[in-house]
């Protein structure tokens, strides 16, 4: 059974793994960056930035490779998605650049106005990016108006629908909870206590938004969906994961809360796959004939054969690199440490 999975499904799984890895890794450093807006002292800001300095750009590699995997395996999906979601993707790119520039340039000058400007740019861009990602994911999950040529027929602002905005805000709240766990793992003393207090407040907001998303998602779920039972089971498991995350957050267990928030995110990714499979982008115009699936919007079989061989070699090497990088920079950051 395991070996009889077709190439399209294998590549969908590989692409999903890369994008979920990006969600977990860049999710915490986006959340950590968003907390920058709440830090007042220069020492706190420097320490918080040092926690993500060695890893933030490496985390973003998974987004590039995940996007490349989507383009290589499902080029029509890539074209349709980026055409339909042109505005959020361009905004995402803009804020991604602003964030990188802020990290690199913030400490180039001692001037307070200089640093404050880059602090604001860093914090705001870190907060906006998870919102935009949530908006894109929500639009894919609920479907988009596609015609028989898989062309987007909606307006350029249709991505700003209430469900997508709710998921976007939930994504930000989750990233801040996830990022706070990482900051607490890397810091100690007064800053760690301050981050914990902020994390508890963010978790309350996340739970409210999460409850709204779950209820809304159940309402828009197709009653005839063939995977409905699996979807409900996964929803229950995710709710349980959020419940055990709450215990770790309130008892100040940063390692446990980081692992549990990672688990919750991975389960949400599995739920999205089960909800969609074998569809990648559902059509709201004619779901049966206009939806983009892994079979009607995929590359050739030969392309999949070559790509899977490359992925079988490249992905383990990339994982080894990530493990090595995190081992090198393991431990608490100190004020006297070199860095940003």
């Amino acid at each position: 059974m395991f070996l009889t999975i077709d190439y399209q499904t294998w590549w969908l799984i590989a692409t999903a793994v890369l994008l979920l890895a990006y969600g977990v890794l860049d999710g915490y450093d986006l959340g950590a960056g968003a907390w920058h807006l709440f830090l007042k002292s220069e020492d706190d800001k420097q320490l918080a930035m040092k926690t993500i300095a060695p890893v933030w750009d490496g985390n973003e590699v998974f987004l590039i490779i995940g996007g490349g995997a989507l383009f290589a395996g499902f080029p029509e999906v890539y074209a349709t998605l980026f055409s339909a979601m042109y505005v959020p993707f361009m905004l995402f790119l803009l804020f991604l650049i602003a964030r990188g520039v802020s990290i690199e340039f913030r400490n180039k000058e001692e001037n307070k106005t200089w640093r404050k400007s880059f602090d604001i740019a860093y914090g705001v861009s870190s907060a906006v990016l998870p919102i935009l990602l949530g908006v894109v994911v929500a639009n894919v999950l609920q479907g988009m108006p596609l015609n028989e040529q898989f062309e987007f027929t909606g307006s350029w602002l249709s991505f700003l629908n209430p469900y997508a905005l709710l998921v976007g805000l939930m994504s930000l709240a989750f990233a801040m909870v996830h990022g706070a766990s990482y900051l607490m793992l890397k810091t100690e003393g007064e800053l760690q206590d301050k981050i914990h207090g902020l994390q508890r407040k963010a978790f309350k907001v996340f739970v409210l938004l999460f409850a709204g998303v779950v209820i809304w998602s159940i309402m828009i779920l197709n009653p005839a969906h063939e995977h409905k039972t699996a979807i409900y089971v996964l929803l229950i498991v995710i709710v349980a994961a959020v419940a055990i995350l709450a215990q770790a957050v309130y008892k100040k267990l940063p390692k446990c809360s980081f692992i549990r928030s990672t688990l919750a995110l991975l389960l949400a990714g599995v739920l999205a796959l089960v909800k969609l499979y074998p569809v990648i982008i559902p059509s709201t115009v004619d779901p049966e004939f206009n939806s983009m699936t892994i079979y009607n919007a995929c590359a050739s079989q030969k392309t999949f054969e070559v790509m899977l061989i490359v992925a079988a070699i490249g992905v383990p090497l990339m994982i080894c690199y990530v493990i090595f990088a995190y081992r090198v920079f393991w431990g608490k950051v100190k004020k006297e440490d070199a860095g940003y």
Side-chain angles (χ1 to χ4, degrees):
M1 178 74 176
F2 183 74
L3 295 176
T4 58
I5 298 178
D6 55 50
Y7 287 143
Q8 290 88 340
T9 301
W10 272 120
W11 197 251
L12 178 66
I13 293 171
T15 303
V17 168
L18 290 168
L19 294 177
L20 280 173
Y22 170 75
V24 171
L25 297 175
D26 210 35
Y28 78 70
D29 73 51
L30 290 176
W35 284 122
H36 206 74
L37 295 169
F38 296 83
L39 302 179
K40 303 300 180 184
S41 74
E42 178 65 18
D43 287 345
D44 287 349
K45 292 176 181 178
Q46 290 281 18
L47 278 173
M49 194 164 278
K50 283 180 182 179
T51 65
I52 62 106
V55 295
W56 71 270
D57 44 358
N59 293 341
E60 292 177 1
V61 169
F62 284 92
L63 176 64
I64 298 169
I65 299 175
L70 180 66
F71 172 74
F74 310 103
E76 288 195 61
V77 172
Y78 184 93
T80 298
L81 184 61
F82 275 74
S83 296
M85 297 283 104
Y86 184 82
V87 173
F89 277 123
M90 287 300 100
L91 288 173
F92 184 87
L93 181 60
L94 175 65
F95 283 107
L96 203 62
I97 293 171
R99 184 172 186 267
V101 169
S102 300
I103 293 172
E104 295 294 339
F105 280 81
R106 186 211 185 250
N107 288 341
K108 298 299 183 183
E109 293 285 346
E110 296 289 340
N111 184 279
K112 289 184 178 181
T113 303
W114 173 278
R115 291 193 170 186
K116 185 175 182 180
S117 299
F118 282 116
D119 284 338
I120 294 171
Y122 172 59
V124 170
S125 57
S126 296
V128 172
L129 288 169
I131 295 176
L132 292 172
L133 285 173
V135 165
V136 171
V137 171
N139 276 282
V140 171
L141 287 174
Q142 67 181 340
M144 296 188 291
L146 305 179
N147 62 21
E148 59 274 9
Q149 281 83 41
F150 302 142
E151 295 174 345
F152 180 70
T153 59
S155 71
W156 67 280
L157 279 177
S158 60
F159 67 91
L160 289 176
N161 55 80
Y163 178 72
L165 291 173
L166 182 63
V167 174
L169 291 173
M170 183 196 72
S171 300
L172 171 59
F174 176 83
M176 294 182 77
V177 172
H178 193 46
S181 297
Y182 182 77
L183 285 174
M184 291 166 63
L185 280 171
K186 301 290 287 182
T187 59
E188 54 191 0
E190 185 180 343
L191 178 57
Q192 188 187 65
D193 293 337
K194 187 182 301 182
I195 294 297
H196 179 235
L198 292 170
Q199 184 191 40
R200 292 179 64 171
K201 295 176 181 178
F203 186 78
K204 293 176 182 178
V205 176
F206 164 70
V207 168
L208 290 174
L209 294 170
F210 173 73
V213 169
V214 169
I215 294 170
W216 201 327
S217 299
I218 292 173
M219 290 171 59
I220 66 174
L221 176 65
N222 181 3
H225 199 291
E226 58 181 321
H227 303 138
K228 187 172 72 170
T229 301
I231 290 172
Y232 281 128
V233 170
L234 280 168
L235 270 175
I236 293 171
V237 174
I238 291 172
V239 170
V242 171
I244 64 171
L245 172 60
Q247 184 256 352
V249 167
Y250 282 92
K251 289 193 174 183
K252 196 184 177 182
L253 304 171
K255 185 176 181 180
C256 284
S257 62
F258 186 83
I259 292 172
R260 292 173 186 181
S261 59
T262 297
L263 175 63
L265 179 58
L266 295 177
L267 286 169
V270 173
L271 174 61
L273 277 178
V274 173
K275 161 70 167 66
L276 293 171
Y277 184 83
V279 175
I280 302 181
I281 304 180
S283 171
T284 55
V285 177
D286 190 339
E288 186 175 354
F289 296 104
N290 294 358
S291 295
M292 305 188 78
T293 72
I294 61 174
Y295 300 111
N296 65 13
C298 65
S300 66
Q301 290 294 105
K302 187 65 177 178
T303 301
F304 280 118
E305 291 175 8
V306 174
M307 290 191 305
L308 284 168
I309 293 172
V310 173
I313 299 170
V315 172
L317 289 174
M318 188 168 62
I319 292 172
C320 289
Y321 160 76
V322 171
I323 293 172
F324 172 76
Y326 276 85
R327 284 181 64 87
V328 169
F329 296 105
W330 195 255
K332 303 284 187 179
V333 296
K334 308 288 185 181
K335 182 179 178 181
E336 60 272 12
D337 290 342
Y340 286 87

mmCIF file of all heavy atoms in Angstrom, residues 47-71:
data_model
loop_
_atom_site.group_PDB
_atom_site.id
_atom_site.type_symbol
_atom_site.label_atom_id
_atom_site.label_comp_id
_atom_site.label_asym_id
_atom_site.label_seq_id
_atom_site.Cartn_x
_atom_site.Cartn_y
_atom_site.Cartn_z
ATOM 1 N N LEU A 47 18.798 41.392 22.802
ATOM 2 C CA LEU A 47 18.763 39.973 23.145
ATOM 3 C C LEU A 47 17.744 39.215 22.298
ATOM 4 O O LEU A 47 18.023 38.118 21.801
ATOM 5 C CB LEU A 47 18.429 39.802 24.635
ATOM 6 C CG LEU A 47 19.583 39.960 25.624
ATOM 7 C CD1 LEU A 47 19.068 39.943 27.051
ATOM 8 C CD2 LEU A 47 20.609 38.859 25.424
ATOM 9 N N ALA A 48 16.552 39.817 22.142
ATOM 10 C CA ALA A 48 15.508 39.161 21.352
ATOM 11 C C ALA A 48 15.956 38.971 19.909
ATOM 12 O O ALA A 48 15.684 37.925 19.286
ATOM 13 C CB ALA A 48 14.223 39.976 21.419
ATOM 14 N N MET A 49 16.638 39.963 19.356
ATOM 15 C CA MET A 49 17.095 39.858 17.977
ATOM 16 C C MET A 49 18.224 38.841 17.832
ATOM 17 O O MET A 49 18.328 38.142 16.824
ATOM 18 C CB MET A 49 17.519 41.227 17.457
ATOM 19 C CG MET A 49 17.677 41.287 15.957
ATOM 20 S SD MET A 49 17.728 42.968 15.306
ATOM 21 C CE MET A 49 15.985 43.359 15.217
ATOM 22 N N LYS A 50 19.057 38.721 18.863
ATOM 23 C CA LYS A 50 20.137 37.741 18.832
ATOM 24 C C LYS A 50 19.609 36.302 18.813
ATOM 25 O O LYS A 50 20.292 35.403 18.319
ATOM 26 C CB LYS A 50 21.058 37.930 20.040
ATOM 27 C CG LYS A 50 22.007 39.107 19.926
ATOM 28 C CD LYS A 50 22.873 39.224 21.172
ATOM 29 C CE LYS A 50 23.796 40.433 21.092
ATOM 30 N NZ LYS A 50 24.629 40.564 22.302
ATOM 31 N N THR A 51 18.424 36.086 19.357
ATOM 32 C CA THR A 51 17.887 34.718 19.379
ATOM 33 C C THR A 51 17.588 34.193 17.984
ATOM 34 O O THR A 51 17.686 32.987 17.734
ATOM 35 C CB THR A 51 16.602 34.641 20.228
ATOM 36 O OG1 THR A 51 15.564 35.421 19.615
ATOM 37 C CG2 THR A 51 16.832 35.121 21.654
ATOM 38 N N ILE A 52 17.207 35.092 17.081
ATOM 39 C CA ILE A 52 16.855 34.640 15.728
ATOM 40 C C ILE A 52 17.918 34.987 14.688
ATOM 41 O O ILE A 52 17.829 34.562 13.537
ATOM 42 C CB ILE A 52 15.476 35.199 15.290
ATOM 43 C CG1 ILE A 52 15.496 36.731 15.248
ATOM 44 C CG2 ILE A 52 14.371 34.688 16.193
ATOM 45 C CD1 ILE A 52 15.532 37.306 13.874
ATOM 46 N N ALA A 53 18.942 35.747 15.104
ATOM 47 C CA ALA A 53 19.964 36.202 14.155
ATOM 48 C C ALA A 53 20.640 35.073 13.378
ATOM 49 O O ALA A 53 20.842 35.195 12.169
ATOM 50 C CB ALA A 53 21.009 37.038 14.896
ATOM 51 N N PRO A 54 21.012 33.943 13.999
ATOM 52 C CA PRO A 54 21.735 32.920 13.243
ATOM 53 C C PRO A 54 20.846 32.047 12.354
ATOM 54 O O PRO A 54 21.361 31.291 11.530
ATOM 55 C CB PRO A 54 22.371 32.050 14.346
ATOM 56 C CG PRO A 54 22.158 32.769 15.631
ATOM 57 C CD PRO A 54 20.944 33.608 15.437
ATOM 58 N N VAL A 55 19.526 32.127 12.529
ATOM 59 C CA VAL A 55 18.668 31.131 11.870
ATOM 60 C C VAL A 55 17.572 31.699 10.971
ATOM 61 O O VAL A 55 16.980 30.966 10.175
ATOM 62 C CB VAL A 55 18.005 30.212 12.934
ATOM 63 C CG1 VAL A 55 19.056 29.377 13.656
ATOM 64 C CG2 VAL A 55 17.184 31.033 13.936
ATOM 65 N N TRP A 56 17.263 32.994 11.058
ATOM 66 C CA TRP A 56 16.077 33.510 10.376
ATOM 67 C C TRP A 56 16.150 33.338 8.866
ATOM 68 O O TRP A 56 15.167 32.938 8.232
ATOM 69 C CB TRP A 56 15.840 34.981 10.741
ATOM 70 C CG TRP A 56 16.835 35.937 10.156
ATOM 71 C CD1 TRP A 56 18.014 36.338 10.710
ATOM 72 C CD2 TRP A 56 16.745 36.611 8.897
ATOM 73 N NE1 TRP A 56 18.672 37.212 9.885
ATOM 74 C CE2 TRP A 56 17.918 37.392 8.755
ATOM 75 C CE3 TRP A 56 15.806 36.633 7.874
ATOM 76 C CZ2 TRP A 56 18.169 38.185 7.642
ATOM 77 C CZ3 TRP A 56 16.052 37.428 6.760
ATOM 78 C CH2 TRP A 56 17.212 38.181 6.650
ATOM 79 N N ASP A 57 17.322 33.611 8.276
ATOM 80 C CA ASP A 57 17.427 33.510 6.817
ATOM 81 C C ASP A 57 17.436 32.058 6.360
ATOM 82 O O ASP A 57 16.915 31.719 5.298
ATOM 83 C CB ASP A 57 18.663 34.254 6.306
ATOM 84 C CG ASP A 57 19.905 34.006 7.135
ATOM 85 O OD1 ASP A 57 19.820 33.287 8.143
ATOM 86 O OD2 ASP A 57 20.974 34.537 6.773
ATOM 87 N N GLY A 58 18.009 31.163 7.189
ATOM 88 C CA GLY A 58 17.965 29.735 6.865
ATOM 89 C C GLY A 58 16.556 29.185 6.902
ATOM 90 O O GLY A 58 16.192 28.323 6.089
ATOM 91 N N ASN A 59 15.746 29.685 7.830
ATOM 92 C CA ASN A 59 14.354 29.228 7.916
ATOM 93 C C ASN A 59 13.576 29.548 6.643
ATOM 94 O O ASN A 59 12.696 28.784 6.219
ATOM 95 C CB ASN A 59 13.659 29.878 9.112
ATOM 96 C CG ASN A 59 14.215 29.405 10.442
ATOM 97 O OD1 ASN A 59 14.859 28.357 10.520
ATOM 98 N ND2 ASN A 59 13.997 30.169 11.492
ATOM 99 N N GLU A 60 13.888 30.686 6.035
ATOM 100 C CA GLU A 60 13.154 31.105 4.839
ATOM 101 C C GLU A 60 13.499 30.279 3.601
ATOM 102 O O GLU A 60 12.785 30.334 2.597
ATOM 103 C CB GLU A 60 13.414 32.598 4.580
ATOM 104 C CG GLU A 60 12.787 33.494 5.642
ATOM 105 C CD GLU A 60 13.086 34.965 5.441
ATOM 106 O OE1 GLU A 60 13.784 35.296 4.451
ATOM 107 O OE2 GLU A 60 12.619 35.778 6.269
ATOM 108 N N VAL A 61 14.593 29.513 3.683
ATOM 109 C CA VAL A 61 14.958 28.639 2.559
ATOM 110 C C VAL A 61 13.840 27.639 2.267
ATOM 111 O O VAL A 61 13.580 27.293 1.113
ATOM 112 C CB VAL A 61 16.282 27.906 2.869
ATOM 113 C CG1 VAL A 61 16.552 26.805 1.854
ATOM 114 C CG2 VAL A 61 17.438 28.895 2.887
ATOM 115 N N PHE A 62 13.147 27.201 3.325
ATOM 116 C CA PHE A 62 12.082 26.220 3.135
ATOM 117 C C PHE A 62 10.930 26.791 2.319
ATOM 118 O O PHE A 62 10.256 26.070 1.589
ATOM 119 C CB PHE A 62 11.573 25.716 4.498
ATOM 120 C CG PHE A 62 12.506 24.749 5.151
ATOM 121 C CD1 PHE A 62 13.476 25.183 6.038
ATOM 122 C CD2 PHE A 62 12.428 23.397 4.867
ATOM 123 C CE1 PHE A 62 14.350 24.283 6.633
ATOM 124 C CE2 PHE A 62 13.287 22.486 5.464
ATOM 125 C CZ PHE A 62 14.261 22.935 6.345
ATOM 126 N N LEU A 63 10.687 28.097 2.449
ATOM 127 C CA LEU A 63 9.643 28.730 1.643
ATOM 128 C C LEU A 63 10.039 28.736 0.174
ATOM 129 O O LEU A 63 9.223 28.431 -0.703
ATOM 130 C CB LEU A 63 9.405 30.165 2.128
ATOM 131 C CG LEU A 63 8.397 30.988 1.326
ATOM 132 C CD1 LEU A 63 7.008 30.373 1.436
ATOM 133 C CD2 LEU A 63 8.382 32.434 1.798
ATOM 134 N N ILE A 64 11.299 29.052 -0.099
ATOM 135 C CA ILE A 64 11.771 29.094 -1.481
ATOM 136 C C ILE A 64 11.713 27.705 -2.111
ATOM 137 O O ILE A 64 11.220 27.528 -3.230
ATOM 138 C CB ILE A 64 13.211 29.639 -1.530
ATOM 139 C CG1 ILE A 64 13.248 31.071 -0.994
ATOM 140 C CG2 ILE A 64 13.775 29.577 -2.944
ATOM 141 C CD1 ILE A 64 14.641 31.609 -0.763
ATOM 142 N N ILE A 65 12.193 26.706 -1.378
ATOM 143 C CA ILE A 65 12.196 25.344 -1.915
ATOM 144 C C ILE A 65 10.768 24.809 -2.035
ATOM 145 O O ILE A 65 10.421 24.126 -3.004
ATOM 146 C CB ILE A 65 13.048 24.422 -1.033
ATOM 147 C CG1 ILE A 65 14.493 24.924 -1.009
ATOM 148 C CG2 ILE A 65 13.001 22.983 -1.533
ATOM 149 C CD1 ILE A 65 15.402 24.163 -0.082
ATOM 150 N N GLY A 66 9.914 25.128 -1.055
ATOM 151 C CA GLY A 66 8.517 24.703 -1.133
ATOM 152 C C GLY A 66 7.802 25.309 -2.314
ATOM 153 O O GLY A 66 7.051 24.628 -3.022
ATOM 154 N N GLY A 67 8.035 26.614 -2.572
ATOM 155 C CA GLY A 67 7.454 27.258 -3.743
ATOM 156 C C GLY A 67 7.990 26.668 -5.030
ATOM 157 O O GLY A 67 7.245 26.466 -6.002
ATOM 158 N N GLY A 68 9.305 26.354 -5.041
ATOM 159 C CA GLY A 68 9.892 25.710 -6.215
ATOM 160 C C GLY A 68 9.323 24.330 -6.456
ATOM 161 O O GLY A 68 9.091 23.930 -7.607
ATOM 162 N N ALA A 69 9.074 23.602 -5.379
ATOM 163 C CA ALA A 69 8.485 22.260 -5.502
ATOM 164 C C ALA A 69 7.069 22.332 -6.066
ATOM 165 O O ALA A 69 6.667 21.505 -6.898
ATOM 166 C CB ALA A 69 8.476 21.569 -4.139
ATOM 167 N N LEU A 70 6.303 23.327 -5.618
ATOM 168 C CA LEU A 70 4.951 23.513 -6.148
ATOM 169 C C LEU A 70 5.000 23.836 -7.638
ATOM 170 O O LEU A 70 4.225 23.276 -8.439
ATOM 171 C CB LEU A 70 4.256 24.646 -5.381
ATOM 172 C CG LEU A 70 2.820 24.968 -5.808
ATOM 173 C CD1 LEU A 70 1.894 23.807 -5.510
ATOM 174 C CD2 LEU A 70 2.323 26.237 -5.116
ATOM 175 N N PHE A 71 5.912 24.720 -8.038
ATOM 176 C CA PHE A 71 6.042 25.096 -9.441
ATOM 177 C C PHE A 71 6.470 23.903 -10.297
ATOM 178 O O PHE A 71 5.959 23.695 -11.402
ATOM 179 C CB PHE A 71 7.060 26.234 -9.583
ATOM 180 C CG PHE A 71 7.400 26.569 -11.002
ATOM 181 C CD1 PHE A 71 6.496 27.251 -11.802
ATOM 182 C CD2 PHE A 71 8.619 26.193 -11.550
ATOM 183 C CE1 PHE A 71 6.801 27.556 -13.121
ATOM 184 C CE2 PHE A 71 8.937 26.494 -12.863
ATOM 185 C CZ PHE A 71 8.023 27.174 -13.654
#
